Amino acid sequence: MRVLVQRCKEAQVTVGDELTGRIESGLMLLVGITHEDTEKDAIYLADKISGLRIFEDEQEKMNLSLLDVGGAVLSVSQFTLYGDCRKGKRPSFVAAARPEAAERLYETFNQLLRDKGIQVETGRFGAMMDVTFTNWGPVTLMLESPPRD
C-alpha cells in the first residue's frame, strides 16, 4: 500500500459539479493499493500517518502530528501510484489491485483514521475527480507499508 502524504492548508475534491470532500488544515492523502495488500497494511499506514510529526511546534520544528494539531484528512483513491513507467511511454497498471478489493481496503483505511478521531473527507472511488489543495511548506512524503517477508 502506498500513500502520498501532503501537508495542506486546505483541500477539496469534486466529481462533476458535486463537492464530495473539503477540509481546512491537515493532510491530503493519495491512496494506492496493490494486490497483496491486507488490512494489516491499512492499520500500519493509518497509525503511521496519524502520528507522523510533520506539523510545526512553537519553535517552528516539525514536531507535531495530525492528532496533536487536530487536523483533518482528505483521502483520495489513486491507483496510478502503482503505475510502472519503466518500459515504453505508456504506464502499466498491472500492480494496482482490482477495484473491488481496492475499494474495500480503501474504505477500511479511511475508517481506521476516523476511529482515531480524525475527520476524514473523501472523493468517490473510481470516479474522475478534480482535486485542488494548497500544499503547505511544501511538505510531501511517500509512505509505503512494510515489505512482506
Side-chain angles (χ1 to χ4, degrees):
M1 201 167 164
R2 291 179 179 158
V3 181
L4 186 69
V5 177
Q6 298 177 72
R7 189 176 72 177
C8 66
K9 290 186 177 184
E10 50 78 29
Q12 69 178 31
V13 60
T14 58
V15 177
D17 291 332
E18 179 189 355
L19 179 68
T20 62
R22 183 179 190 294
I23 65 165
E24 296 297 324
S25 173
L27 298 176
M28 170 71 218
L29 305 180
L30 300 176
V31 182
I33 297 167
T34 191
H35 304 288
E36 301 88 25
D37 289 335
T38 66
E39 186 173 341
K40 185 176 178 182
D41 298 292
I43 292 167
Y44 171 84
L45 284 169
D47 286 344
K48 178 68 81 174
I49 289 165
S50 63
L52 198 60
R53 295 177 1 188
I54 59 173
F55 293 91
E56 293 176 357
D57 63 16
E58 54 278 347
Q59 282 83 38
E60 298 182 359
K61 301 285 186 205
M62 283 189 187
N63 204 25
L64 301 175
S65 71
L66 185 67
L67 292 170
D68 294 330
V69 300
V73 161
L74 179 61
S75 174
V76 175
S77 62
Q78 186 73 49
F79 77 95
T80 61
L81 288 177
Y82 279 99
D84 185 348
C85 300
R86 291 177 290 183
K87 288 186 179 178
K89 303 280 185 187
R90 182 176 177 179
S92 169
F93 298 106
V94 297
R98 301 288 311 150
E100 315 77 47
E103 185 173 14
R104 280 192 303 275
L105 197 52
Y106 169 69
E107 294 300 337
T108 297
F109 170 74
N110 292 331
Q111 188 57 52
L112 288 163
L113 290 171
R114 288 183 184 109
D115 291 348
K116 295 177 178 300
I118 298 168
Q119 173 196 350
V120 178
E121 301 289 324
T122 65
R124 186 172 301 138
F125 188 91
M128 181 64 75
M129 296 174 270
D130 291 329
V131 180
T132 58
F133 67 101
T134 302
N135 191 317
W136 181 15
V139 174
T140 302
L141 300 164
M142 176 65 80
L143 301 182
E144 293 189 80
S145 49
R148 283 152 188 65
D149 293 331

